Amino acid sequence: MSGLTRRRLLAAGLGTAGVAAAGAAGLELIEHGVLPGKTDLAQLDGACSVAGPPLAFGRLGRSMSGRFYSRARRRDVGYTIAYPPGHGPGSRLPLVVMLHGSGRNHNEVLSGMTLAQAPALRINGRPLGPMAMVAADGGPGYWNPHPGDDPMGMVIDELIPFCQRLGLGRPPHRIGTMGISMGGYGAILLAEKFPRLISAVAAIGPAVWTSYQQAQAVNRQAYASAADFAANDVVTHAAALAGKPVRVASGLDDPFQPGVAVLARVLPSTATVIISAGCHTGPFFAQQEPPSLAFLARYLS
């Protein structure tokens, strides 16, 4: 018994067929985040219990939602644009493109607040610098191009130009990206692929895989092929972020933390990397949303 950690003992009590079938080797893989289940163990162990700051908001600005046909995605997609307090259609502002996580849509991009609330957030009693925020439906494909469905092309060639026609993110005003999990990966990816367009990036719990095989084992919709993974591997192409404000936050018990650790080693030395207590769950995401928004406001507003 002396060789068993408390978390392994907790795992033995989960009673799931997957854990029972995995055996000791499987538990090691879960413990290191390779197999699903690490977050379940961490929740039982209390590692996911993190507290966020109390949230305060100013008077909400205008917001508008709708749908448009995306040629890049070959389907209708929904979108929402949220303005900061005192602003609305016609305002010229910096723009944050919010990218949602897997299984979510433009209505579910944040954990601790709505998209409409985000521009009205107050930090230590002070409002964020004014910036508008936009989110659109990207599907399950990790924001990289897929055969017949290109969410990256939708954002770059359709969503952002649409916002710029409204005066948002139009030079000299800047554009940033932000996302959680799959959206965090997408936020980094867009900044790497389009460094002249994207001026700053904030990613929370980004879904960073260390190999195509690992991604395929957990989510077959992430990449269409090994070549697709190589072309859109945010670790390999991290040098494209040189000179750009970057903030990445990951929980110690997040199953993607090993990938984030690899990414952190190749990010520019000026990048802000936060590795702290928490999991790939709502409490950690909500904790990291205010400082991520403040980070973007510092460089975009």
Side-chain angles (χ1 to χ4, degrees):
M1 294 293 289
S2 61
L4 294 177
T5 66
R6 180 171 176 236
R7 189 165 299 167
R8 289 182 196 162
L9 288 171
L10 289 168
L14 287 177
T16 65
V19 170
L27 289 176
E28 282 295 326
L29 292 175
I30 290 173
E31 182 73 16
H32 290 88
V34 177
L35 294 180
K38 181 178 181 182
T39 297
D40 293 334
L41 305 184
Q43 285 179 324
L44 288 172
D45 207 11
C48 298
S49 300
V50 297
L55 299 180
F57 304 95
R59 189 168 188 169
L60 302 191
R62 295 278 302 276
S63 63
M64 52 185 285
S65 297
R67 302 188 68 81
F68 65 91
Y69 180 78
S70 168
R71 292 185 178 181
R73 297 207 61 216
R74 302 184 185 181
R75 69 202 73 194
D76 284 343
V77 299
Y79 73 90
T80 294
I81 297 174
Y83 289 88
H87 293 272
S91 295
R92 296 179 178 269
L93 296 163
L95 178 69
V96 177
V97 179
M98 291 282 194
L99 305 177
H100 63 73
S102 180
R104 298 184 178 273
N105 57 40
H106 72 279
N107 289 315
E108 304 169 302
V109 290
L110 297 167
S111 289
M113 64 191 82
T114 66
L115 187 68
Q117 289 176 315
L121 181 68
R122 300 180 72 89
I123 305 290
N124 297 323
R126 296 182 177 181
L128 295 174
M131 51 188 185
M133 300 180 189
V134 65
D137 299 336
Y142 270 61
W143 297 100
N144 51 282
H146 290 68
D149 188 2
D150 183 2
M152 181 192 296
M154 180 269 292
V155 171
I156 298 300
D157 298 327
E158 299 169 343
L159 185 65
I160 289 178
F162 170 67
C163 291
Q164 289 179 324
R165 290 194 293 272
L166 298 176
L168 307 177
R170 181 191 297 175
H173 297 297
R174 298 176 177 178
I175 300 173
T177 55
M178 177 173 164
I180 295 170
S181 188
M182 182 184 87
Y185 159 82
I188 299 169
L189 179 67
L190 264 64
E192 290 181 351
K193 293 289 187 180
F194 303 94
R196 294 185 179 181
L197 180 66
I198 307 301
S199 297
V201 56
I204 303 172
V208 178
W209 302 104
T210 54
S211 71
Y212 173 66
Q213 291 74 20
Q214 188 186 69
Q216 281 290 96
V218 179
N219 187 340
R220 290 187 174 273
Q221 294 179 299
Y223 303 96
S225 66
D228 182 36
F229 174 84
N232 297 286
D233 177 11
V234 293
V235 174
T236 302
H237 304 288
L241 299 172
K244 194 176 304 298
V246 176
R247 185 185 194 273
V248 177
S250 179
L252 284 167
D253 284 275
D254 188 322
F256 289 107
Q257 194 275 329
V260 173
V262 173
L263 174 66
R265 289 196 288 270
V266 295
L267 284 174
S269 59
T270 54
T272 299
V273 178
I274 308 296
I275 306 293
S276 61
C279 301
H280 201 76
T281 55
F284 181 81
F285 301 155
Q287 180 196 70
Q288 292 298 319
E289 286 167 359
S292 296
L293 289 167
F295 178 87
L296 290 177
R298 188 181 315 138
Y299 292 103
L300 298 179
S301 300

